[in-house]
Short mmCIF file of all heavy atoms in Angstrom, two decimals:
data_model
loop_
_atom_site.label_atom_id
_atom_site.label_comp_id
_atom_site.label_asym_id
_atom_site.label_seq_id
_atom_site.Cartn_x
_atom_site.Cartn_y
_atom_site.Cartn_z
N LEU A 61 -8.55 7.09 -7.87
CA LEU A 61 -7.20 6.73 -8.27
C LEU A 61 -6.15 7.56 -7.46
O LEU A 61 -5.10 7.00 -7.05
CB LEU A 61 -7.04 6.91 -9.81
CG LEU A 61 -5.74 6.50 -10.41
CD1 LEU A 61 -5.47 5.04 -10.24
CD2 LEU A 61 -5.68 6.81 -11.90
N ASN A 62 -6.43 8.86 -7.27
CA ASN A 62 -5.49 9.65 -6.46
C ASN A 62 -5.40 9.17 -5.05
O ASN A 62 -4.36 9.09 -4.45
CB ASN A 62 -5.97 11.19 -6.50
CG ASN A 62 -5.63 11.85 -7.75
OD1 ASN A 62 -4.60 11.55 -8.34
ND2 ASN A 62 -6.43 12.82 -8.13
N LYS A 63 -6.47 8.84 -4.49
CA LYS A 63 -6.54 8.26 -3.11
C LYS A 63 -5.76 6.95 -3.06
O LYS A 63 -4.97 6.77 -2.06
CB LYS A 63 -8.01 7.95 -2.66
CG LYS A 63 -8.83 9.12 -2.21
CD LYS A 63 -10.11 8.62 -1.67
CE LYS A 63 -11.22 9.66 -1.63
NZ LYS A 63 -12.51 9.14 -1.25
N PHE A 64 -6.00 6.08 -3.99
CA PHE A 64 -5.26 4.78 -4.03
C PHE A 64 -3.76 5.05 -4.07
O PHE A 64 -2.94 4.44 -3.45
CB PHE A 64 -5.72 3.93 -5.18
CG PHE A 64 -5.10 2.59 -5.19
CD1 PHE A 64 -5.63 1.52 -4.45
CD2 PHE A 64 -3.93 2.38 -5.90
CE1 PHE A 64 -5.03 0.33 -4.47
CE2 PHE A 64 -3.38 1.07 -5.79
CZ PHE A 64 -3.89 0.09 -5.14
N TYR A 65 -3.35 5.95 -4.93
CA TYR A 65 -1.94 6.27 -5.23
C TYR A 65 -1.36 6.76 -3.92
O TYR A 65 -0.26 6.34 -3.50
CB TYR A 65 -1.86 7.33 -6.28
CG TYR A 65 -0.40 7.67 -6.59
CD1 TYR A 65 0.39 6.96 -7.44
CD2 TYR A 65 0.15 8.88 -5.99
CE1 TYR A 65 1.74 7.32 -7.64
CE2 TYR A 65 1.41 9.28 -6.35
CZ TYR A 65 2.22 8.49 -7.16
OH TYR A 65 3.56 8.80 -7.39
N LEU A 66 -1.97 7.70 -3.19
CA LEU A 66 -1.47 8.19 -1.97
C LEU A 66 -1.30 7.14 -0.80
O LEU A 66 -0.35 7.16 -0.10
CB LEU A 66 -2.34 9.37 -1.45
CG LEU A 66 -2.18 10.64 -2.27
CD1 LEU A 66 -3.20 11.71 -1.76
CD2 LEU A 66 -0.82 11.19 -2.28
N LYS A 67 -2.27 6.29 -0.80
CA LYS A 67 -2.28 5.20 0.22
C LYS A 67 -1.28 4.11 0.01
O LYS A 67 -1.04 3.30 0.88
CB LYS A 67 -3.66 4.58 0.42
CG LYS A 67 -4.65 5.50 1.11
CD LYS A 67 -5.94 4.79 1.21
CE LYS A 67 -7.02 5.66 1.77
NZ LYS A 67 -8.36 5.09 1.86
N ASN A 68 -0.79 3.91 -1.22
CA ASN A 68 -0.01 2.77 -1.60
C ASN A 68 1.39 3.23 -2.01
O ASN A 68 1.63 3.49 -3.25
CB ASN A 68 -0.71 1.94 -2.70
CG ASN A 68 -1.95 1.27 -2.10
OD1 ASN A 68 -1.90 0.23 -1.50
ND2 ASN A 68 -3.04 1.86 -2.25
N ASN A 69 2.34 3.18 -1.02
CA ASN A 69 3.64 3.71 -1.32
C ASN A 69 4.45 2.85 -2.29
O ASN A 69 5.61 3.18 -2.71
CB ASN A 69 4.41 3.97 -0.10
CG ASN A 69 4.71 2.77 0.79
OD1 ASN A 69 4.47 1.67 0.44
ND2 ASN A 69 5.27 3.00 1.94
N GLU A 70 3.96 1.63 -2.66
CA GLU A 70 4.58 0.85 -3.60
C GLU A 70 4.76 1.61 -5.02
O GLU A 70 5.69 1.43 -5.78
CB GLU A 70 3.79 -0.50 -3.95
CG GLU A 70 3.77 -1.40 -2.80
CD GLU A 70 2.55 -1.13 -1.82
OE1 GLU A 70 1.98 -0.13 -1.83
OE2 GLU A 70 2.24 -2.07 -1.03
N PHE A 71 3.83 2.46 -5.20
CA PHE A 71 3.83 3.27 -6.47
C PHE A 71 4.77 4.45 -6.42
O PHE A 71 5.15 5.00 -7.56
CB PHE A 71 2.47 3.78 -6.80
CG PHE A 71 1.51 2.69 -7.42
CD1 PHE A 71 0.18 3.07 -7.66
CD2 PHE A 71 2.01 1.44 -7.66
CE1 PHE A 71 -0.68 2.09 -8.16
CE2 PHE A 71 1.16 0.50 -8.25
CZ PHE A 71 -0.21 0.87 -8.52
N TRP A 72 5.16 4.95 -5.35
CA TRP A 72 5.95 6.19 -5.26
C TRP A 72 7.16 6.17 -4.41
O TRP A 72 8.02 7.03 -4.48
CB TRP A 72 5.06 7.38 -4.99
CG TRP A 72 4.19 7.24 -3.73
CD1 TRP A 72 2.88 6.84 -3.74
CD2 TRP A 72 4.57 7.42 -2.38
NE1 TRP A 72 2.38 6.79 -2.42
CE2 TRP A 72 3.44 7.15 -1.59
CE3 TRP A 72 5.76 7.83 -1.73
CZ2 TRP A 72 3.43 7.19 -0.24
CZ3 TRP A 72 5.72 7.93 -0.34
CH2 TRP A 72 4.60 7.66 0.41
N GLN A 73 7.29 5.28 -3.47
CA GLN A 73 8.40 5.32 -2.51
C GLN A 73 9.80 5.26 -3.19
O GLN A 73 10.69 5.97 -2.85
CB GLN A 73 8.29 4.28 -1.42
CG GLN A 73 9.17 4.44 -0.27
CD GLN A 73 8.87 3.46 0.84
OE1 GLN A 73 9.10 2.34 0.67
NE2 GLN A 73 8.36 4.01 1.90
N ILE A 74 9.99 4.32 -4.15
CA ILE A 74 11.25 4.29 -4.83
C ILE A 74 10.98 4.32 -6.37
O ILE A 74 11.40 3.43 -7.08
CB ILE A 74 12.11 3.05 -4.40
CG1 ILE A 74 11.29 1.79 -4.27
CG2 ILE A 74 12.84 3.32 -3.11
CD1 ILE A 74 12.14 0.53 -3.89
N ASP A 75 10.36 5.28 -6.84
CA ASP A 75 9.98 5.40 -8.24
C ASP A 75 11.13 5.99 -9.03
O ASP A 75 10.98 6.15 -10.30
CB ASP A 75 8.72 6.18 -8.44
CG ASP A 75 8.80 7.65 -8.21
OD1 ASP A 75 9.78 8.20 -7.64
OD2 ASP A 75 7.86 8.42 -8.55
N TYR A 76 12.25 6.25 -8.42
CA TYR A 76 13.38 6.82 -9.01
C TYR A 76 14.47 5.73 -9.39
O TYR A 76 15.58 6.01 -9.85
CB TYR A 76 14.06 7.89 -8.10
CG TYR A 76 14.33 7.28 -6.75
CD1 TYR A 76 15.52 6.60 -6.42
CD2 TYR A 76 13.32 7.51 -5.78
CE1 TYR A 76 15.61 6.01 -5.17
CE2 TYR A 76 13.62 6.95 -4.47
CZ TYR A 76 14.71 6.23 -4.16
OH TYR A 76 14.90 5.75 -2.98
N SER A 77 14.20 4.39 -9.05
CA SER A 77 15.15 3.38 -9.14
C SER A 77 14.54 2.06 -9.67
O SER A 77 13.26 1.89 -9.48
CB SER A 77 15.74 3.11 -7.75
OG SER A 77 16.52 1.88 -7.78
N TRP A 78 15.31 1.27 -10.32
CA TRP A 78 14.83 -0.03 -10.80
C TRP A 78 14.42 -0.93 -9.64
O TRP A 78 13.74 -1.93 -9.83
CB TRP A 78 15.86 -0.71 -11.67
CG TRP A 78 15.92 -0.17 -12.96
CD1 TRP A 78 16.94 0.64 -13.52
CD2 TRP A 78 14.98 -0.28 -14.01
NE1 TRP A 78 16.56 0.99 -14.78
CE2 TRP A 78 15.40 0.42 -15.11
CE3 TRP A 78 13.75 -0.98 -14.12
CZ2 TRP A 78 14.70 0.43 -16.29
CZ3 TRP A 78 13.00 -0.91 -15.32
CH2 TRP A 78 13.49 -0.14 -16.37
N GLU A 79 14.87 -0.65 -8.39
CA GLU A 79 14.50 -1.41 -7.25
C GLU A 79 13.00 -1.41 -7.00
O GLU A 79 12.45 -2.34 -6.36
CB GLU A 79 15.24 -0.97 -5.99
CG GLU A 79 16.71 -1.22 -6.09
CD GLU A 79 17.49 -0.40 -4.99
OE1 GLU A 79 16.93 0.42 -4.32
OE2 GLU A 79 18.69 -0.74 -4.91
N GLY A 80 12.33 -0.36 -7.52
CA GLY A 80 10.87 -0.26 -7.23
C GLY A 80 10.03 -0.72 -8.40
O GLY A 80 8.79 -0.60 -8.31
N PHE A 81 10.62 -1.17 -9.45
CA PHE A 81 9.87 -1.68 -10.70
C PHE A 81 10.48 -2.92 -11.23
O PHE A 81 11.78 -3.06 -11.31
CB PHE A 81 9.94 -0.52 -11.72
CG PHE A 81 9.35 -0.86 -13.03
CD1 PHE A 81 7.93 -0.58 -13.28
CD2 PHE A 81 10.01 -1.53 -14.00
CE1 PHE A 81 7.37 -0.94 -14.40
CE2 PHE A 81 9.42 -1.87 -15.25
CZ PHE A 81 8.05 -1.50 -15.44
N GLU A 82 9.66 -3.90 -11.65
CA GLU A 82 10.12 -5.03 -12.30
C GLU A 82 9.05 -5.51 -13.32
O GLU A 82 7.91 -5.66 -12.99
CB GLU A 82 10.41 -6.18 -11.30
CG GLU A 82 11.00 -7.42 -11.84
CD GLU A 82 11.33 -8.37 -10.78
OE1 GLU A 82 11.64 -8.04 -9.69
OE2 GLU A 82 11.12 -9.63 -11.07
N TRP A 83 9.50 -5.75 -14.49
CA TRP A 83 8.65 -6.27 -15.50
C TRP A 83 8.25 -7.69 -15.20
O TRP A 83 9.04 -8.46 -14.81
CB TRP A 83 9.26 -6.24 -16.95
CG TRP A 83 9.29 -5.00 -17.58
CD1 TRP A 83 10.41 -4.12 -17.77
CD2 TRP A 83 8.21 -4.24 -18.13
NE1 TRP A 83 10.07 -3.04 -18.43
CE2 TRP A 83 8.69 -3.03 -18.67
CE3 TRP A 83 6.86 -4.48 -18.25
CZ2 TRP A 83 7.90 -2.09 -19.32
CZ3 TRP A 83 6.00 -3.49 -18.88
CH2 TRP A 83 6.51 -2.40 -19.41
N ILE A 84 6.97 -8.06 -15.40
CA ILE A 84 6.65 -9.46 -15.51
C ILE A 84 6.55 -9.88 -16.91
O ILE A 84 7.22 -10.70 -17.32
CB ILE A 84 5.24 -9.71 -14.78
CG1 ILE A 84 5.30 -9.38 -13.33
CG2 ILE A 84 4.75 -11.12 -15.03
CD1 ILE A 84 3.98 -9.45 -12.55
N SER A 85 5.77 -9.15 -17.73
CA SER A 85 5.77 -9.34 -19.12
C SER A 85 5.49 -8.06 -19.80
O SER A 85 4.49 -7.42 -19.68
CB SER A 85 4.58 -10.33 -19.51
OG SER A 85 4.42 -10.47 -20.85
N GLY A 86 6.38 -7.65 -20.66
CA GLY A 86 6.23 -6.40 -21.45
C GLY A 86 6.36 -6.64 -22.98
O GLY A 86 6.44 -5.67 -23.62
N ASP A 87 6.17 -7.90 -23.34
CA ASP A 87 6.34 -8.16 -24.77
C ASP A 87 5.25 -9.00 -25.40
O ASP A 87 5.39 -9.56 -26.43
CB ASP A 87 7.67 -8.94 -24.96
CG ASP A 87 7.69 -10.26 -24.20
OD1 ASP A 87 6.70 -10.55 -23.44
OD2 ASP A 87 8.66 -11.05 -24.38
N ASP A 88 4.10 -8.93 -24.81
CA ASP A 88 2.93 -9.71 -25.41
C ASP A 88 2.20 -8.84 -26.35
O ASP A 88 1.08 -8.37 -26.14
CB ASP A 88 1.96 -10.18 -24.25
CG ASP A 88 0.78 -11.06 -24.85
OD1 ASP A 88 0.81 -11.25 -26.06
OD2 ASP A 88 0.04 -11.50 -24.06
N ASN A 89 2.83 -8.62 -27.53
CA ASN A 89 2.19 -7.76 -28.55
C ASN A 89 0.99 -8.46 -29.24
O ASN A 89 0.28 -7.81 -29.96
CB ASN A 89 3.31 -7.35 -29.58
CG ASN A 89 3.94 -8.46 -30.25
OD1 ASN A 89 3.72 -9.65 -29.92
ND2 ASN A 89 4.81 -8.15 -31.29
N GLN A 90 0.88 -9.72 -29.19
CA GLN A 90 -0.25 -10.46 -29.74
C GLN A 90 -1.54 -10.16 -29.06
O GLN A 90 -2.61 -10.05 -29.67
CB GLN A 90 -0.05 -11.94 -29.69
CG GLN A 90 1.11 -12.47 -30.47
CD GLN A 90 0.93 -12.22 -31.99
OE1 GLN A 90 -0.14 -12.46 -32.56
NE2 GLN A 90 1.91 -11.62 -32.68
N ASN A 91 -1.48 -9.96 -27.72
CA ASN A 91 -2.63 -9.64 -26.95
C ASN A 91 -2.75 -8.21 -26.51
O ASN A 91 -3.73 -7.76 -25.87
CB ASN A 91 -2.78 -10.58 -25.73
CG ASN A 91 -3.05 -11.99 -26.13
OD1 ASN A 91 -4.06 -12.30 -26.77
ND2 ASN A 91 -2.02 -12.90 -25.82
N SER A 92 -1.65 -7.46 -26.55
CA SER A 92 -1.57 -6.05 -26.12
C SER A 92 -1.82 -6.01 -24.58
O SER A 92 -2.64 -5.09 -24.11
CB SER A 92 -2.60 -5.18 -26.86
OG SER A 92 -2.19 -5.04 -28.29
N VAL A 93 -1.22 -6.82 -23.87
CA VAL A 93 -1.28 -6.84 -22.40
C VAL A 93 0.16 -6.78 -21.90
O VAL A 93 1.07 -7.43 -22.36
CB VAL A 93 -1.97 -8.26 -21.92
CG1 VAL A 93 -1.92 -8.33 -20.37
CG2 VAL A 93 -3.36 -8.26 -22.43
N ILE A 94 0.30 -5.96 -20.89
CA ILE A 94 1.55 -5.90 -20.16
C ILE A 94 1.28 -6.14 -18.68
O ILE A 94 0.21 -5.78 -18.13
CB ILE A 94 2.33 -4.57 -20.37
CG1 ILE A 94 1.57 -3.34 -19.85
CG2 ILE A 94 2.68 -4.32 -21.88
CD1 ILE A 94 2.39 -2.05 -19.84
#
Side-chain angles (χ1 to χ4, degrees):
L61 186 59
N62 280 330
K63 281 185 198 175
F64 184 88
Y65 180 82
L66 289 174
K67 285 182 184 177
N68 292 276
N69 65 6
E70 295 91 341
F71 282 175
W72 49 263
Q73 194 172 66
I74 45 179
D75 70 350
Y76 53 84
S77 168
W78 281 107
E79 295 167 350
F81 176 90
E82 185 178 324
W83 282 108
I84 294 174
S85 175
D87 61 355
D88 185 1
N89 60 354
Q90 296 296 315
N91 292 299
S92 296
V93 175
I94 63 170

